[in-house]
């Protein structure tokens, strides 16, 4: 499967092109770590960044991107509406705060961070408004399962472009992946490395040795070859460089199948079903 590098893009259901490989910034929330990590990410070629209101680092990211001098149209920035800001008015006003922090006039992708039972339609209505007013180029969700997406379809006038879900070799979520493909939504993997828990897996180690690559590189490559968007996070400069050095090899079908077989439906994060019932 041909993959060229960080310039590879996926086409969203509204025609917008989104980089397939971006940089996640969850838990990078102090100036020193953020300066090192985000500047290194830019240096190795990252142009897509995934933040959230909940990460409390939109301001730090916005300043570093501004200081980088990289043209706005070369960047692809995603943020997410936090649980406390769900609902129509709160979504609209918190979006303005996010844009101020990020120092942006328009956003590339705005996501609902978790499905909310209480504010399910209101939050989405606010996202649709921001999309129609061209404040955001695309809108989507995170952590929605098929039943959440079916429910949303009852009232949505804009189909989500992206569903950002936990996905790694121990949680492959293939039924949801098939659903997203069928409904023309892009699957974006959060915790693509399983927050590190998959990296000592003996099967992955054997496969990695075969290509003279690390287990992290093999896992990221496995995602790319299944056309998922990935947003690995690291604060370690050598790992940030390592995670983009995945474009000079391709996993065989046999190795892809072996990695698929590692699934054990293991979540590092919350189950969206449980969170949905609480917010
Ligand atoms: P991740 O990217 O799967 O893993 C990050 C962990 O792996 C860190 O501990 C990092 O360590 C380590 N790591 C990274 N590269 C490595 C390498 N080459 N070798 C060994 N270890 C490596 O986990 P994540 O940060 O949870 O997820 C990525 C992004 O997804 C987040 O930053 C965020 O943007 C997004 N996310 C979204 C949601 C949601 O609900 N929508 C939830 C969680 C995350 P060091 O940093 O110490 O190097």
């Amino acid at each position: 499967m041909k993959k060229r590098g960080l310039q590879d893009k996926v086409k969203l259901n509204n025609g917008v092109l989104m980089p397939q490989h971006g940089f996640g910034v969850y838990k990078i929330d102090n100036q020193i770590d953020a300066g090192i990590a985000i500047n290194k990410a830019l240096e190795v070629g990252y142009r897509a960044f995934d933040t959230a209101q909940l990460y409390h680092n939109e301001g730090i990211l916005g300043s570093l991107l501004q200081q980088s001098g990289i043209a706005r149209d070369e960047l692809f920035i995603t943020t997410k509406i936090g649980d406390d800001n769900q609902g129509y008015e709160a979504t609209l006003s918190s979006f303005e705060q996010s844009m101020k922090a990020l120092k942006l006039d328009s956003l590339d992708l705005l996501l609902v961070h978790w499905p909310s039972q209480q504010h399910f339609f209101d939050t989405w209505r606010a996202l649709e408004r921001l999309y129609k007013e061209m404040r955001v180029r695309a809108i989507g969700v995170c952590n929605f399962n098929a039943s959440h997406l079916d429910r949303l379809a009852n009232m949505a006038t804009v189909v989500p472009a992206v569903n950002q879900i936990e996905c790694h070799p121990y949680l492959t979520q293939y039924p949801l992946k098939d659903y997203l493909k069928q409904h023309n939504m892009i699957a974006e993997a959060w915790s693509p490395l399983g927050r590190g828990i998959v990296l000592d897996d003996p099967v992955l180690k054997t496969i990695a040795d075969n290509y003279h690559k690390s287990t992290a590189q093999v896992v990221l490559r496995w995602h790319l070859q299944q056309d998922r968007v990935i947003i690995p996070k690291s604060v370690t400069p050598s790992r940030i460089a390592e995670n983009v050095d995945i474009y000079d090899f391709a996993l065989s079908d046999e190795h892809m199948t072996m990695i698929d077989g590692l699934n054990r439906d293991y979540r590092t994060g919350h189950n969206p079903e449980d969170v949905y019932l609480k917010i």
Side-chain angles (χ1 to χ4, degrees):
M1 188 156 309
K2 232 175 168 177
K3 297 284 170 192
R4 290 167 308 142
L6 289 171
Q7 72 274 26
D8 284 348
K9 307 239 177 10
V10 295
K11 193 183 267 193
L12 304 183
N13 59 16
N14 64 354
V16 165
L17 295 176
M18 174 180 185
Q20 194 186 355
H21 184 170
F23 189 75
V25 299
Y26 180 41
K27 295 202 168 152
I28 308 183
D29 51 11
N30 71 71
Q31 291 281 354
I32 296 173
D33 280 353
I36 293 169
I38 292 166
N39 286 328
K40 182 68 186 179
L42 288 166
E43 182 195 312
V44 300
Y46 278 107
R47 293 296 178 266
F49 291 86
D50 181 86
T51 183
Q53 292 173 346
L54 189 84
Y55 303 168
H56 302 293
N57 59 16
E58 291 170 313
I60 298 176
L61 176 65
S63 299
L64 288 165
L65 294 178
Q66 194 174 56
Q67 284 159 25
S68 76
I70 292 170
R72 172 67 186 95
D73 61 2
E74 284 184 36
L75 297 167
F76 190 100
I77 310 301
T78 301
T79 196
K80 315 182 190 87
I81 301 296
D83 300 347
D84 293 346
N85 294 326
Q86 291 225 28
Y88 189 75
E89 294 301 337
T91 294
L92 293 177
S93 60
S94 70
F95 170 77
E96 296 307 333
Q97 285 167 24
S98 289
M99 296 299 281
K100 205 168 159 200
L102 286 163
K103 295 156 200 55
L104 298 176
D105 298 323
S106 71
L107 189 73
D108 298 294
L109 179 62
L110 181 63
L111 303 175
V112 182
H113 208 142
W114 284 92
S116 153
Q117 175 150 261
Q118 200 191 343
H119 301 292
F120 195 81
F121 293 130
D122 289 345
T123 303
W124 188 252
R125 250 186 340 113
L127 261 64
E128 287 185 339
R129 176 173 164 179
L130 293 166
Y131 177 65
K132 287 171 186 167
E133 290 176 351
M134 296 200 282
R135 300 296 310 283
V136 298
R137 296 172 66 219
I139 55 176
V141 294
C142 305
N143 303 300
F144 275 45
N145 60 27
S147 66
H148 298 132
L149 292 165
D150 284 342
R151 185 179 170 202
L152 192 66
N154 289 331
M155 60 72 74
T157 61
V158 179
V159 177
V162 171
N163 189 10
Q164 190 183 104
I165 53 172
E166 181 177 351
C167 184
H168 45 73
Y170 289 173
L171 183 71
T172 53
Q173 304 228 49
Y174 285 149
L176 184 53
K177 178 180 176 248
D178 291 345
Y179 178 104
L180 296 175
K181 191 167 185 185
Q182 219 176 5
H183 291 80
N184 202 10
M185 298 174 208
I186 292 289
E188 179 174 24
W190 66 253
S191 296
L193 301 170
R195 296 187 174 158
I197 55 146
V198 301
L199 300 180
D200 290 327
D201 185 279
V203 173
L204 291 176
K205 280 191 167 165
T206 306
I207 295 172
D209 287 348
N210 208 66
Y211 297 93
H212 306 292
K213 290 285 179 183
S214 69
T215 50
Q217 289 170 318
V218 161
V219 171
L220 295 174
R221 184 75 208 184
W222 166 77
H223 283 291
L224 291 185
Q225 287 183 212
Q226 293 187 344
D227 298 326
R228 275 185 294 279
V229 171
I230 50 170
I231 42 170
K233 166 263 175 189
S234 175
V235 290
T236 314
S238 59
R239 290 175 175 173
I240 295 169
E242 178 185 320
N243 292 349
V244 300
D245 182 18
I246 56 173
Y247 294 95
D248 58 353
F249 77 112
L251 293 168
S252 67
D253 290 348
E254 186 196 346
H255 289 141
M256 291 292 288
T257 306
M258 281 167 74
I259 301 173
D260 292 343
L262 297 176
N263 179 50
R264 50 192 77 166
D265 294 334
Y266 177 84
R267 291 180 187 278
T268 67
H270 298 294
N271 187 330
E273 278 305 328
D274 302 337
V275 178
Y276 170 65
L277 295 172
K278 290 184 196 140
I279 59 173

